[in-house]
Amino acid sequence: LYILHVYLIQLILTPVSLVMVLYGSRLLLPISSLAAALLGVFVVFQFITYDLSCSMKLSLSIVSAILCGFLAGAFVRFGLFALGAASAGIGSYFFFDVFPQFDPIV
């Protein structure tokens, strides 16, 4: 029974991994926005305990989903920018540390 679960996990993860390898750069922003929107809907429906009508909960969940989706997109874009800036800074630091003759300041 355990070996069956291992094969099922491999059958699910292999195509998902291949899709992410091939199309991950195009799927990162929409998937993260969709996941954040679903989290916003879940939070509204799970944690609003006071008595509201169904239409009010639906409208709050739509607003929450839109805001969470936009925030996730902004955070992903800013995170990629910050990661690229830090990588460029670290790379230039290492380059000038290894080759000090190219450093114009020294």
Side-chain angles (χ1 to χ4, degrees), residues 11-79:
L11 282 173
I12 292 170
L13 285 182
T14 302
V16 170
S17 298
L18 287 175
V19 166
M20 290 306 287
V21 163
L22 296 174
Y23 303 107
S25 62
R26 290 184 226 146
L27 293 177
L28 176 68
L29 190 61
I31 294 295
S32 63
S33 297
L34 180 66
L38 291 175
L39 180 71
V41 170
F42 173 76
V43 165
V44 166
F45 272 100
Q46 290 297 320
F47 296 114
I48 291 187
T49 57
Y50 47 89
D51 191 25
L52 285 177
S53 64
C54 185
S55 60
M56 190 63 174
K57 274 191 178 180
L58 282 175
S59 61
L60 280 175
S61 67
I62 289 171
V63 169
S64 174
I66 290 171
L67 287 176
C68 288
F70 280 132
L71 281 174
F75 283 142
V76 166
R77 287 186 181 114
F78 177 74

